[in-house]
Amino acid sequence: MGHTVEKIGGTSMSRVHELRDTVLIADRDAPYGRIFVVSAFGGITNLLLEHKKSGEPGVYAAFASGDGDHGWLAALDRASDAMIEAHRVVLDHPGDLERADAFVRDRLVGARNCLIDLQRLCSYGHFRLEEHMLHTRELLSGLGEAHSAFVTTLMLQRVGIQARFVDLSGWRDTEQVTLEERITGAMAGVDPATEMPIVTGYAQCTEGLMREFDRGYSEVTFSRLAALTGAREAIIHKEFHLSSADPNLVGADAVRKLGRTNYDVADQLSNLGMEAIHPKAAKTLRQSGVPLRVTNAFEPHDPGTLIDDQPAPTPAVEIVTGLNVFALELFEQDMVGAKGYDAFILEVLTRHRVRIVSKVSNANTITHYVDSSLKVLRRVEKDLAERYPSAQVSSRAAAMASAVGRDLEGLAVLSRGLNALAAAGLEAIGATQGPRPVDVQFILERTALAPGIKALHGALIEQTAQPLAKVA
């Protein structure tokens, strides 16, 4: 049957000791044929880089803004303490704890010495610190995955599993290799049929994963590993099921586990900020013919949701979700028949790294719905106003709710959705439906997003097809 490649995320990794006898060792009589890719323990990457949501500085952010001082050392000490505390939750044998403590000391002392040397080097005018910051970010980030993979290996070996620590982080490696070379080199001689590889989610390579994916790199490593090793299935263990909506918004009794969908739907969800998997990782799996399964790590007997390239057997809305956006609008009376407006707007948005979620246009107006901070959007508006001084450039806070499915043909989702919103006392600012029947988007006031999702879910999912399964 071949092997599987499976990924465990950071929040689940903090409870990896609870998953030992359910997810990691699902069958004591046949424990092998599985490769695990692990993220850092929950919260560790925040301490090593910066907090993903609040922006509170970690080691990297403190180092980048330290102006040559050593204030980042305190942040490194906090990260070290947190890593040690994390593995003391997972390990209980004194010998394992001693080895894990030594691992943290070795890696963090090495990182500290590297950063001190880098600061010293860049005190000379010929060297610029900013030229080395991406490498610094990757070095620090890789510490978290190396630690969690090493600790998980110790935990499994203690109970008799032939676990093998596979370190892709390039620690003290002087070679410059591609991601494919890094993976194939590390996996050479590894036999998943007789041992359980525990692989770091971060992989050091010439492509520089963080340059394009930043903290989404572990899914890229995971998907490439599955493709290169010819996995029969790729599995992501999350803390929840992929379901038809957020249970906190529509109620746990109302949502349904997806059960099965395809990569097209996964891409739409990524566009709305609800990633089942990074779209570049999904592309790798799709092109390699490897199906993806998303499971709830804490419901190990539930098969979860299978994502492949197959069409839906019957049309249906599968999920309703949404996100807050800004509506960036450029109105120019002279736009009719003129060319170049849209191209320049795209160039400005790309330069300021603003993510476009959707857009609409008519004879003299182009509106982009974007996922951005207001601060960055003001810079975009300034650039557009300078280029088109007679145009009216404005932005407003809004929200987008979207009904998504593998096949929405013939379901009248647009009209039924608008009627459902109206029945709930909500007004749509706009609505869009493309010719490809996979999603319909409803633009709402931000305060209407949660009740809007609930209304759409009730009309488009709860009142239609039979549920696949209830989410516990």
Side-chain angles (χ1 to χ4, degrees):
M1 292 295 292
H3 67 276
T4 58
V5 174
E6 309 184 28
K7 179 181 178 296
I8 303 178
T11 305
S12 297
M13 281 301 298
S14 295
R15 300 168 61 186
V16 71
H17 54 298
E18 299 177 35
L19 304 178
R20 187 192 69 187
D21 297 320
T22 55
V23 171
L24 289 161
I25 315 174
D27 184 350
R28 278 282 181 176
D29 296 326
Y32 303 116
R34 308 169 76 199
I35 301 173
F36 283 93
V37 177
V38 298
S39 298
F41 291 118
I44 298 301
T45 305
N46 286 339
L47 293 171
L48 290 168
L49 301 180
E50 67 284 315
H51 197 285
K52 192 172 185 179
K53 293 183 178 179
S54 71
E56 181 181 355
V59 180
Y60 171 82
F63 182 79
S65 62
D67 297 324
D69 64 33
H70 290 174
W72 55 269
L73 287 169
L76 192 66
D77 288 339
R78 288 193 295 272
S80 176
D81 292 342
M83 292 167 78
I84 291 172
E85 181 180 350
H87 69 236
R88 289 190 179 280
V89 174
V90 174
L91 305 173
D92 52 21
H93 191 279
D96 295 338
L97 289 168
E98 184 178 336
R99 292 182 65 190
D101 289 349
F103 184 90
V104 171
R105 285 195 302 271
D106 175 66
R107 294 291 173 114
L108 268 68
V109 167
R112 182 194 65 189
N113 292 340
C114 178
L115 297 188
I116 289 174
D117 288 343
L118 182 58
Q119 278 190 328
R120 185 182 300 118
L121 178 68
C122 292
S123 66
Y124 295 89
H126 294 79
F127 303 94
R128 295 287 180 267
L129 185 61
E130 57 269 19
E131 296 175 359
H132 304 280
M133 291 312 299
L134 180 61
H135 298 300
T136 300
R137 188 172 179 83
E138 295 213 2
L139 169 72
L140 291 169
S141 184
L143 297 174
E145 274 86 3
H147 170 241
S148 62
F150 182 76
V151 169
T152 303
T153 302
L154 292 179
M155 178 190 71
L156 291 168
Q157 289 175 343
R158 180 57 54 186
V159 294
I161 297 296
Q162 296 297 316
R164 181 164 174 174
F165 173 46
V166 180
D167 188 1
L168 303 181
S169 70
W171 184 252
R172 298 187 184 279
D173 190 345
T174 58
E175 290 186 276
Q176 294 295 310
V177 297
T178 65
L179 178 58
E180 180 173 340
E181 291 168 338
R182 176 70 66 192
I183 291 173
T184 54
M187 294 299 294
V190 176
D191 183 7
T194 59
E195 56 187 334
M196 185 180 292
I198 307 298
V199 186
T200 59
Y202 168 73
Q204 193 277 331
C205 57
T206 54
E207 294 95 322
L209 293 184
M210 297 197 81
R211 181 182 294 109
E212 182 174 358
F213 307 107
D214 198 51
R215 291 167 68 162
Y217 55 78
S218 63
E219 292 186 353
V220 177
T221 303
F222 157 77
S223 63
R224 191 69 66 86
L225 179 62
L228 290 173
T229 60
R232 63 176 172 83
E233 193 170 86
I235 303 173
I236 296 181
H237 300 284
K238 292 182 175 286
E239 300 78 47
F240 48 83
H241 282 297
L242 281 183
S243 58
S244 57
D246 183 346
N248 296 320
L249 293 180
V250 306
D253 293 335
V255 298
R256 301 164 185 174
K257 186 186 72 181
L258 294 191
R260 186 162 188 176
T261 190
N262 63 18
Y263 284 116
D264 205 344
V265 169
D267 287 344
Q268 306 308 319
L269 297 182
S270 295
N271 188 49
L272 292 162
M274 183 185 170
E275 284 190 1
I277 184 172
H278 193 286
K280 290 293 180 67
K283 178 181 177 181
T284 297
L285 294 175
R286 180 189 295 189
Q287 292 180 340
S288 302
V290 179
L292 171 69
R293 188 177 298 277
V294 180
T295 73
N296 184 329
F298 301 98
E299 294 184 17
H301 300 297
D302 192 302
T305 295
L306 182 67
I307 302 174
D308 56 21
D309 60 356
Q310 297 302 305
T314 56
V317 176
E318 298 176 15
I319 186 168
V320 177
T321 187
L323 80 165
N324 290 330
V325 296
F326 283 100
L328 174 67
E329 182 177 281
L330 187 145
F331 168 79
E332 170 65 272
Q333 194 71 56
D334 297 331
M335 188 186 299
V336 182
K339 297 180 180 179
Y341 284 88
D342 204 15
F344 183 74
I345 296 172
L346 292 174
E347 188 274 321
V348 172
L349 291 172
T350 301
R351 175 156 34 91
H352 289 282
R353 298 183 179 181
V354 174
R355 189 173 74 86
I356 302 169
V357 180
S358 184
K359 79 169 189 176
V360 293
S361 63
N362 59 26
N364 50 25
T365 307
I366 300 175
T367 303
H368 285 85
Y369 298 108
V370 299
D371 182 13
S372 172
S373 69
L374 186 58
K375 181 179 179 180
V376 172
L377 208 56
R378 292 294 181 241
R379 297 173 187 157
V380 172
E381 292 177 21
K382 181 175 180 292
D383 288 355
L384 294 176
E386 289 177 354
R387 175 65 177 265
Y388 302 113
S390 62
Q392 297 177 21
V393 182
S394 62
S395 61
R396 62 176 292 186
M400 177 183 291
S402 184
V404 183
R406 285 170 285 177
D407 182 6
L408 305 183
E409 191 73 48
L411 297 180
V413 174
L414 180 60
S415 58
R416 289 169 57 208
L418 290 172
N419 289 335
L421 292 171
L426 304 172
E427 182 179 359
I429 301 171
T432 60
Q433 176 178 341
R436 195 155 187 265
V438 292
D439 77 320
V440 178
Q441 300 167 348
F442 302 89
I443 309 302
L444 307 166
E445 299 289 352
R446 284 203 175 176
T447 55
L449 180 58
I453 289 175
K454 185 175 178 65
L456 291 169
H457 188 271
L460 301 175
I461 294 181
E462 295 173 51
Q463 296 177 13
T464 53
Q466 293 298 311
L468 294 170
K470 293 286 186 178
V471 174

